[in-house]
Amino acid sequence: MPPQCGHTRADREMLDHTIQRLTELSSGGFAERMRLDTAARLLVIIHRVLRLRAAGLMRAPDPWPVPRDEWLALERIGAGWNPDEMTASEFASDLEPADVTLLLELCPAWAQMVRAKLGSLPP
Protein backbone atom coordinates (compact mmCIF):
# COMPACT_ATOMS: atom_id res chain seq x y z
CA MET A 1 0.00 0.00 0.00
CA PRO A 2 1.41 3.48 -0.87
CA PRO A 3 2.35 5.83 1.94
CA GLN A 4 -0.43 8.11 3.11
CA CYS A 5 -0.25 11.87 2.87
CA GLY A 6 -2.64 14.40 4.30
CA HIS A 7 -5.88 12.84 5.46
CA THR A 8 -5.75 9.41 7.02
CA ARG A 9 -8.95 8.15 5.43
CA ALA A 10 -10.82 8.73 2.20
CA ASP A 11 -13.92 10.84 2.83
CA ARG A 12 -15.96 13.66 1.32
CA GLU A 13 -13.58 16.31 2.66
CA MET A 14 -10.64 14.57 0.98
CA LEU A 15 -12.61 14.33 -2.28
CA ASP A 16 -13.52 18.05 -2.21
CA HIS A 17 -9.95 19.06 -1.41
CA THR A 18 -8.55 16.84 -4.18
CA ILE A 19 -10.99 18.27 -6.73
CA GLN A 20 -9.98 21.81 -5.73
CA ARG A 21 -6.26 21.01 -6.12
CA LEU A 22 -6.83 19.26 -9.46
CA THR A 23 -8.77 22.28 -10.71
CA GLU A 24 -5.98 24.57 -9.54
CA LEU A 25 -3.33 22.43 -11.25
CA SER A 26 -5.21 22.15 -14.53
CA SER A 27 -6.03 25.87 -14.73
CA GLY A 28 -2.50 27.14 -14.03
CA GLY A 29 -3.55 28.54 -10.67
CA PHE A 30 -1.08 26.35 -8.81
CA ALA A 31 1.86 27.67 -10.82
CA GLU A 32 0.76 31.26 -10.20
CA ARG A 33 0.37 30.60 -6.48
CA MET A 34 3.90 29.17 -6.39
CA ARG A 35 5.24 32.21 -8.30
CA LEU A 36 3.67 34.55 -5.75
CA ASP A 37 4.88 32.43 -2.83
CA THR A 38 8.42 32.53 -4.22
CA ALA A 39 8.17 36.29 -4.78
CA ALA A 40 7.07 36.76 -1.16
CA ARG A 41 10.04 34.76 0.11
CA LEU A 42 12.39 36.81 -2.07
CA LEU A 43 10.89 40.04 -0.72
CA VAL A 44 11.75 38.95 2.81
CA ILE A 45 15.37 38.32 1.81
CA ILE A 46 15.70 41.63 -0.04
CA HIS A 47 14.14 43.47 2.88
CA ARG A 48 16.62 41.90 5.30
CA VAL A 49 19.58 42.85 3.10
CA LEU A 50 18.34 46.43 2.92
CA ARG A 51 17.90 46.59 6.70
CA LEU A 52 21.38 45.15 7.26
CA ARG A 53 22.81 47.77 4.90
CA ALA A 54 20.95 50.53 6.75
CA ALA A 55 22.45 49.23 10.01
CA GLY A 56 25.95 49.30 8.49
CA LEU A 57 26.35 45.52 8.60
CA MET A 58 26.43 45.09 4.82
CA ARG A 59 27.62 47.18 1.90
CA ALA A 60 26.13 47.67 -1.52
CA PRO A 61 28.33 46.38 -4.33
CA ASP A 62 30.69 48.87 -5.84
CA PRO A 63 31.15 48.62 -8.75
CA TRP A 64 27.94 46.89 -9.73
CA PRO A 65 28.69 43.84 -11.91
CA VAL A 66 25.66 44.37 -14.18
CA PRO A 67 23.66 47.39 -15.24
CA ARG A 68 22.81 49.06 -11.96
CA ASP A 69 19.25 49.96 -12.98
CA GLU A 70 18.25 46.29 -12.82
CA TRP A 71 19.49 45.91 -9.23
CA LEU A 72 17.94 49.20 -8.17
CA ALA A 73 14.58 48.10 -9.58
CA LEU A 74 14.82 44.86 -7.64
CA GLU A 75 15.74 46.65 -4.42
CA ARG A 76 13.05 49.30 -5.05
CA ILE A 77 10.45 46.54 -5.08
CA GLY A 78 11.85 45.12 -1.83
CA ALA A 79 12.02 48.53 -0.19
CA GLY A 80 8.37 49.15 -1.04
CA TRP A 81 7.20 46.41 1.29
CA ASN A 82 6.43 47.50 4.85
CA PRO A 83 6.08 44.39 7.02
CA ASP A 84 4.21 46.42 9.66
CA GLU A 85 1.40 47.07 7.17
CA MET A 86 1.02 43.75 5.34
CA THR A 87 2.56 40.35 4.93
CA ALA A 88 5.05 39.63 2.19
CA SER A 89 2.45 37.37 0.57
CA GLU A 90 -0.11 40.16 0.48
CA PHE A 91 2.45 42.57 -0.95
CA ALA A 92 3.54 40.05 -3.60
CA SER A 93 -0.09 39.49 -4.58
CA ASP A 94 -0.49 43.24 -5.16
CA LEU A 95 2.64 43.53 -7.34
CA GLU A 96 2.43 44.08 -11.05
CA PRO A 97 3.10 40.81 -12.93
CA ALA A 98 6.23 42.39 -14.46
CA ASP A 99 7.61 43.09 -10.97
CA VAL A 100 6.98 39.49 -9.89
CA THR A 101 8.82 38.32 -12.99
CA LEU A 102 11.67 40.72 -12.25
CA LEU A 103 12.00 39.32 -8.72
CA LEU A 104 12.00 35.74 -9.94
CA GLU A 105 14.47 36.33 -12.76
CA LEU A 106 16.97 38.66 -11.09
CA CYS A 107 17.07 37.50 -7.49
CA PRO A 108 19.38 34.51 -7.99
CA ALA A 109 22.10 36.65 -9.61
CA TRP A 110 21.45 39.49 -7.15
CA ALA A 111 21.82 37.06 -4.23
CA GLN A 112 25.07 35.70 -5.64
CA MET A 113 26.43 39.22 -5.96
CA VAL A 114 25.30 40.22 -2.45
CA ARG A 115 26.76 36.99 -1.03
CA ALA A 116 30.10 37.61 -2.76
CA LYS A 117 30.30 41.02 -1.07
CA LEU A 118 29.91 39.42 2.38
CA GLY A 119 33.36 37.89 2.02
CA SER A 120 34.86 41.36 1.60
CA LEU A 121 33.44 42.75 4.85
CA PRO A 122 35.80 43.39 7.75
CA PRO A 123 35.38 40.99 10.70
Side-chain angles (χ1 to χ4, degrees):
M1 179 175 270
Q4 297 294 322
C5 51
H7 296 277
T8 56
R9 64 187 182 118
D11 59 13
R12 183 66 192 186
E13 181 182 352
M14 179 187 230
L15 175 63
D16 292 344
H17 183 77
T18 302
I19 291 170
Q20 289 173 352
R21 298 294 73 87
L22 289 170
T23 301
E24 187 180 46
L25 280 167
S26 65
S27 70
F30 180 79
E32 183 58 21
R33 187 164 51 95
M34 292 300 98
R35 277 176 43 88
L36 292 175
D37 181 62
T38 301
R41 293 171 188 270
L42 296 172
L43 283 167
V44 171
I45 296 166
I46 293 168
H47 186 77
R48 287 178 180 168
V49 167
L50 296 175
R51 288 191 62 187
L52 288 166
R53 281 190 197 152
L57 297 171
M58 290 184 80
R59 290 192 303 255
D62 189 28
W64 290 76
V66 297
R68 188 167 194 223
D69 291 345
E70 292 180 356
W71 301 118
L72 293 178
L74 189 69
E75 293 183 1
R76 173 194 48 81
I77 295 167
W81 170 51
N82 182 346
D84 295 329
E85 293 179 4
M86 66 176 58
T87 67
S89 293
E90 292 167 334
F91 186 81
S93 294
D94 289 342
L95 287 173
E96 293 293 325
D99 285 344
V100 172
T101 299
L102 186 73
L103 282 169
L104 299 176
E105 289 178 358
L106 291 182
C107 266
W110 174 85
Q112 183 179 16
M113 183 241 352
V114 169
R115 178 67 182 101
K117 284 296 173 184
L118 289 177
S120 65
L121 290 176

